[in-house]
Amino acid sequence: MTRSWDWATGEGLLGLDDPGEWDAAFERGERSLGTAAIGLAFNCPLKDASPRLVRATQLPDTDQRGFAFTAVGTAARLNGALTPELYEVLRAAGPGRRSIAVNAVDDTLTFVPFRDLPPWLKGWAVYVTVRDKLEGWWLRGGGRTRRVACGRSCAVDDAALAEGESRMSWV
């Protein structure tokens, strides 16, 4: 028995479990294909959902394209792997903080074993780890690094500042 999906509002599409129905809706130009892609990620094997997720990430509607990348992240979470085509989609979208795929990339880095990642994503994982560590150090520093007249940075002991002393360690 075929279910009736509400493609106009997207209601119930998270339960979509038939890739053929997604394909038919794509051909008709339905509106909520990104939402339905999340349903496919939840309810279908990765090999069946992957080609549809790739097509969904190329939708013209930015909101639905964002949902498609959410579906890619969901697939990574549920399967602990992605297909080579999905890795290429993530690479094309860019892994940076301003990318539409940022959450999908983060989910992939979290739930796919490092040894199974493609080389470009392993490099990104190392970069993100180092960046986050440096950001943490900088934020925890609380502004203790001060510029002095010579232009070098130095770490100033807060107690020394309070007492007016000049105890400094050069950084």
Side-chain angles (χ1 to χ4, degrees):
M1 178 182 201
T2 304
R3 289 187 221 159
S4 171
W5 304 104
D6 188 354
W7 290 95
T9 64
E11 190 173 334
L13 290 175
L14 293 179
L16 184 68
D17 58 358
D18 182 9
E21 287 189 49
W22 193 93
D23 291 337
F26 183 81
E27 294 303 320
R28 291 191 309 267
E30 293 290 356
R31 187 174 152 222
S32 299
L33 290 166
T35 306
I38 297 171
L40 289 178
F42 276 127
N43 301 310
C44 294
L46 182 60
K47 65 178 181 59
D48 294 340
S50 178
R52 283 98 183 158
L53 298 181
V54 170
R55 279 193 281 166
T57 60
Q58 298 163 359
L59 291 169
D61 181 10
T62 305
D63 293 334
Q64 292 302 313
R65 198 168 58 246
F67 291 145
F69 281 106
T70 299
V72 173
T74 300
R77 284 174 175 256
L78 294 175
N79 299 294
L82 290 176
T83 62
E85 296 82 17
L86 289 174
Y87 284 123
E88 283 307 310
V89 165
L90 292 178
R91 185 176 190 174
R97 288 181 176 169
R98 294 185 180 166
S99 168
I100 193 169
V102 67
N103 293 326
V105 170
D106 288 346
D107 286 349
T108 302
L109 292 176
T110 302
F111 294 99
V112 176
F114 187 81
R115 68 183 172 276
D116 296 339
L117 296 174
W120 72 269
L121 200 50
K122 287 180 181 178
W124 180 252
V126 171
Y127 167 77
V128 167
T129 302
V130 171
R131 181 196 66 198
D132 290 348
K133 179 60 86 175
L134 291 174
E135 244 178 33
W137 285 343
W138 179 72
L139 291 172
R140 279 191 304 275
R144 291 184 182 188
T145 302
R146 310 260 194 257
R147 288 269 174 207
V148 291
C150 67
R152 291 175 60 188
S153 293
C154 63
V156 181
D157 184 7
D158 287 338
L161 282 177
E163 296 171 11
E165 297 178 22
S166 61
R167 291 183 301 195
M168 296 183 205
S169 62
W170 296 102
V171 179

